Amino acid sequence: MGIIETRGLTKNYGRITALSELDLTVEEGTIFGFVGPNGAGKTTTMRILAALLRPTAGEAWVAGHSVLTQRREVRRIIGYMPDFFGVYGDMKVWEYLDFFAACYEIPAGIRRRLTDELLELVDLSHRRDDYVDTLSRGMKQRLCLARALAHDPLVLILDEPASGLDPRARIEIRALLRELHAMGKTIFVSSHILADIEEICTHIGIIEAGQLVAAGTLAEMRQRICSQHLVRVKLTSLIEEAQAWLAGHPAVLQVERLTDNDGNTLRATVAGDEESLVRLLRELTGTGFPVLAFYEETGKLEDVFIRLTKGIVS
Amino acid sequence: MENTIQPQPCRLSVGEPNPVLVKELRGRMRGARAFIMLTMYLLLLGCFMLSVYSAYADDLTGADMTELGRTTFLVITLIEILMATFIAPAFTAGAISGERERQTYELLRTTLLPARKLVYGKLLSALTYMFLLIMVAVPLESLAFIWGGVMVEEMVVALVLLLVTAISFAAIGLFFSSIVRSTHSSTVLSYIAVLLLAVVLPILLSILLAPGIDNGMSWTAYLMFLALSISPITAAVITEGLIEENILYFWWDSLFYNPHTTTHVPVPLPWIIYTLFWLAITAILLSVTISRVRAQEK
């Protein structure tokens, strides 16, 4: 059993279905990347898990506690960071953390030490007495993360923690998440930028149109790439004829014409191993198509994402 | 579900102040704004007192001094009641909706802070500042004692009216703040409710009931009396008039003349009706507000 479990989780907003029968398991001690295009249902899932939103149907548990009936226990266990959040601009950094620590029922006697430790963890000790409003976006993001850690939660639910950050701030957040993982926290993190997640996650779940398209360990997800290849074919002419020929080939699952550059490039999804690619190239040139280049795109998780999602909601 | 992991036990020691109250007060009292507002308020009250004093200043005899004392007390009390009526909702109309607008509401709702503590913290922070405004005017009001004509009991009744007004009208602002999303809408709705309940409704009922009043006390007049007691201003003025005339503080026995019989009916003074009515409304509004905050979004 996972530390996060959902069964048949469904959420409708009027006639719009945001989540449809979502079954999800997140194992304890993992960093689970929840990936999907904008509007796929990531935030809805996370808000249900944070006991903020009531599902239309289905159930969800965090550490065995129902998000519907044991909300207080769930809140004790999770640290939640929403995708969009505000800060109290008229508060100093230490006051902000002290306030939330008090909201998490931490006694005044230990809040001072705790605040200093949290600020050190997120590298904001030097801004302790500054007003929150004067912090950069990246710093506010780290402060919000420190806030979510005030009660030492077992599980962190982080909705797009790197969104809107500059490259340096993204790196800092990633480093922080790695450190938290090393501290034994289970991290359930969402992003629509797979590259941000790929580097730090142990597990990935891909969601689109409210449904889980794929989920597994990083190794399992990469395995999916090996059974399919993304190939670029550049021709000097006869581009439309080549596209039609490839579309009719039994080994080719999908073919599209790329509109970038000169428009003479096709991208094909080819089933099978590397031998299949060699055969396809031989047949292509043997048929008389003027092939200028034939190469495989680098197999990153991003490809899995692109292939599994159809861009329905993005 | 089996294999539940037990959350860490509650560690907050008993007797610690409400964190929302501490945060709000810290924010409200920080900087010069709060002190400028207090100074302006006291200057305004001082000006009113000066004008009252100058109206009597030419030839003050013993009897005039008593009159000066009473008038000063009445003017200050009415200004404070008006202030409480119209400032209290403004202090709370953005309490919950403001958190939503600032996108801090969800952060608060995922902590262990109970809905009840959030609501009471917001209410108390607004009331604390209101009480400060009421208390800083006490030295000015005390001048009425030096001049004479005002009894301690009258001052206590005035203070009760003020406190009830501040609490109830702050609760109205808080209630609307929890049911609408924007602070602007919440403020507009709060003022409409205050005007309807505290001004329009009592006047309207009085006008409707007035034609039915014959000579002497009747049930129609009784109802009209109750209606007028809902408004803080009429409740204060009628109470003061009855105390001054009859030196009674709680109720009097009134003779009801019906066509065939005459009965004795106890009539509570308006400040008692006002206090009971508004405290009941406050209790209802606060419980609805707490349940709104506690509820999960659907």
Side-chain angles (χ1 to χ4, degrees):
Chain A
M1 171 181 302
I3 197 158
I4 294 175
E5 291 269 348
T6 73
R7 288 287 170 267
L9 205 60
T10 302
K11 179 68 193 172
N12 298 327
Y13 295 101
R15 293 168 64 186
I16 298 166
T17 301
L19 275 185
S20 176
E21 302 272 331
L22 183 77
D23 293 336
L24 183 72
T25 302
V26 176
E27 300 296 336
E28 190 175 356
T30 59
I31 304 185
F32 191 99
F34 199 40
V35 191
N38 292 327
K42 303 186 295 292
T43 299
T44 301
T45 308
M46 292 191 147
R47 292 186 70 227
I48 291 172
L49 290 173
L52 288 168
L53 187 67
R54 217 175 167 77
T56 312
E59 179 54 299
W61 299 267
V62 178
H65 299 283
S66 163
V67 299
L68 295 176
T69 57
Q70 295 169 291
R71 285 152 61 187
R72 196 168 167 78
E73 287 79 2
V74 168
R75 282 171 183 163
R76 231 184 257 284
I77 281 168
I78 64 155
Y80 174 63
M81 184 168 148
D83 50 350
F84 296 106
F85 62 89
V87 287
Y88 300 107
D90 59 349
M91 288 179 105
K92 292 181 176 177
V93 167
W94 75 266
E95 288 172 346
Y96 181 84
L97 285 181
D98 183 77
F99 167 61
F100 277 103
C103 290
Y104 278 117
E105 303 188 334
I106 293 160
I110 59 170
R111 285 208 296 270
R112 161 90 199 211
R113 183 173 48 82
L114 175 73
T115 301
D116 288 343
E117 283 172 4
L118 288 171
L119 287 175
E120 198 179 325
L121 179 71
V122 297
D123 196 21
L124 283 175
S125 299
H126 60 296
R127 304 298 298 264
R128 189 180 185 280
D129 293 313
D130 291 345
Y131 282 99
V132 175
D133 246 1
T134 63
L135 300 183
S136 68
R137 187 177 160 83
M139 286 176 176
K140 282 179 185 166
Q141 208 88 354
R142 277 167 18 221
L143 181 64
C144 191
L145 191 53
R147 173 203 60 78
L149 290 165
H151 56 308
D152 193 19
L154 283 172
V155 179
L156 283 169
I157 297 177
L158 312 175
D159 196 357
E160 306 256 5
S163 80
L165 298 184
D166 60 45
R168 176 178 287 278
R170 278 170 192 272
I171 291 166
E172 284 167 353
I173 283 280
R174 279 203 293 265
L176 197 51
L177 294 187
R178 276 196 203 98
E179 199 173 333
L180 291 170
H181 181 234
M183 288 162 68
K185 310 277 181 209
T186 303
I187 302 174
F188 184 56
V189 56
S190 78
S191 179
H192 63 278
I193 304 163
L194 192 51
D196 277 344
I197 299 250
E198 191 180 346
E199 271 186 43
I200 54 165
C201 288
T202 57
H203 291 67
I204 298 275
I206 296 176
I207 183 172
E208 188 177 41
Q211 290 181 314
L212 196 67
V213 182
T217 63
L218 272 188
E220 285 167 352
M221 297 302 270
R222 288 212 168 95
Q223 188 70 37
R224 284 179 172 238
I225 303 173
C226 297
S227 61
Q228 292 180 0
H229 302 268
L230 263 186
V231 175
R232 285 197 182 214
V233 184
K234 191 172 170 77
L235 300 109
T236 53
S237 62
L238 300 174
I239 187 80
E240 281 167 10
E241 290 81 351
Q243 187 176 2
W245 185 86
L246 281 169
H249 195 282
V252 177
L253 303 174
Q254 196 185 357
V255 63
E256 60 178 326
R257 186 172 177 176
L258 300 178
T259 51
D260 53 347
N261 298 325
D262 52 7
N264 282 345
T265 306
L266 299 172
R267 180 159 64 184
T269 308
V270 183
D273 53 13
E274 287 181 340
E275 276 303 312
S276 308
L277 293 183
V278 173
R279 277 198 298 276
L280 182 68
L281 176 61
R282 195 180 295 137
E283 287 175 34
L284 197 61
T285 49
T287 312
F289 289 110
V291 178
L292 186 64
F294 184 99
Y295 58 95
E296 189 182 1
E297 288 185 6
T298 317
K300 283 191 172 182
L301 275 180
E302 194 80 30
D303 305 330
V304 180
F305 177 66
I306 297 289
R307 278 185 234 175
L308 292 173
T309 60
K310 302 180 185 78
I312 296 167
V313 284
S314 59
Chain B
M1 269 270 148
E2 292 170 5
N3 303 331
T4 57
I5 297 172
Q6 288 311 311
Q8 293 174 14
C10 162
R11 291 178 288 173
L12 190 68
S13 54
V14 179
E16 281 200 31
N18 183 321
V20 177
L21 175 64
V22 174
K23 177 190 90 67
E24 294 283 318
L25 285 182
R26 201 177 258 157
R28 206 183 285 282
M29 298 308 290
R30 177 168 277 156
R33 196 181 52 187
F35 297 99
I36 289 171
M37 200 167 154
L38 273 179
T39 310
M40 297 294 287
Y41 171 67
L42 280 175
L43 278 175
L44 190 76
L45 279 185
C47 287
F48 274 109
M49 281 201 62
L50 210 60
S51 359
V52 173
Y53 183 79
S54 42
Y56 288 86
D58 290 342
D59 184 27
L60 280 173
T61 62
D64 288 339
M65 286 287 274
T66 309
E67 193 62 29
L68 171 65
R70 289 200 68 76
T71 314
T72 306
F73 171 72
L74 283 176
V75 167
I76 299 281
T77 305
L78 277 177
I79 291 172
E80 283 189 320
I81 286 178
L82 279 172
M83 175 208 74
T85 306
F86 292 101
I87 290 183
F91 276 172
T92 50
I96 309 292
S97 55
E99 295 284 351
R100 287 202 183 98
E101 287 171 335
R102 267 199 305 267
Q103 295 181 315
T104 47
Y105 186 69
E106 290 203 339
L107 301 183
L108 279 177
R109 294 307 299 131
T110 48
T111 67
L112 298 175
L113 187 77
R116 162 180 49 82
K117 263 195 170 178
L118 172 57
V119 172
Y120 289 152
K122 292 283 183 182
L123 180 70
L124 279 176
S125 73
L127 289 179
T128 308
Y129 195 69
M130 292 288 303
F131 293 157
L132 185 62
L133 290 177
I134 292 168
M135 295 319 285
V136 292
V138 168
L140 285 175
E141 274 183 297
S142 302
L143 282 175
F145 285 107
I146 298 170
W147 291 325
V150 182
M151 288 168 288
V152 178
E153 290 88 340
E154 283 177 284
M155 192 118 176
V156 171
V157 169
L159 204 62
V160 170
L161 275 172
L162 264 172
L163 294 180
V164 171
T165 306
I167 294 168
S168 312
F169 291 19
I172 289 179
L174 207 52
F175 167 74
F176 282 109
S177 180
S178 72
I179 61 167
V180 295
R181 288 213 157 252
S182 89
T183 299
H184 180 258
S185 310
S186 166
T187 308
V188 171
L189 287 170
S190 301
Y191 277 110
I192 289 173
V194 165
L195 283 172
L196 280 178
L197 283 167
V199 183
V200 177
L201 187 69
I203 293 172
L204 205 66
L205 284 172
S206 310
I207 293 168
L208 287 173
L209 293 167
I213 298 174
D214 302 321
N215 290 332
M217 199 68 172
S218 66
W219 286 111
T220 319
Y222 193 81
L223 286 174
M224 185 170 142
F225 186 78
L226 291 182
L228 285 172
S229 302
I230 294 172
S231 161
I233 300 143
T234 46
V237 171
I238 298 170
T239 301
E240 178 54 27
L242 288 170
I243 290 176
E244 192 178 358
E245 272 179 38
N246 308 305
I247 320 289
L248 41 82
Y249 298 99
F250 298 102
W251 67 82
W252 83 95
D253 275 333
S254 180
L255 286 175
F256 272 55
Y257 300 108
N258 292 321
H260 307 294
T261 56
T262 301
T263 46
H264 285 269
V265 175
V267 182
L269 254 63
W271 74 271
I272 294 175
I273 301 167
Y274 179 82
T275 303
L276 293 176
F277 174 81
W278 281 106
L279 286 185
I281 294 281
T282 302
I284 295 166
L285 289 177
L286 287 180
S287 71
V288 175
T289 307
I290 290 168
S291 64
R292 289 279 310 174
V293 172
R294 188 179 289 139
Q296 266 177 313
E297 197 181 315
K298 287 182 180 168

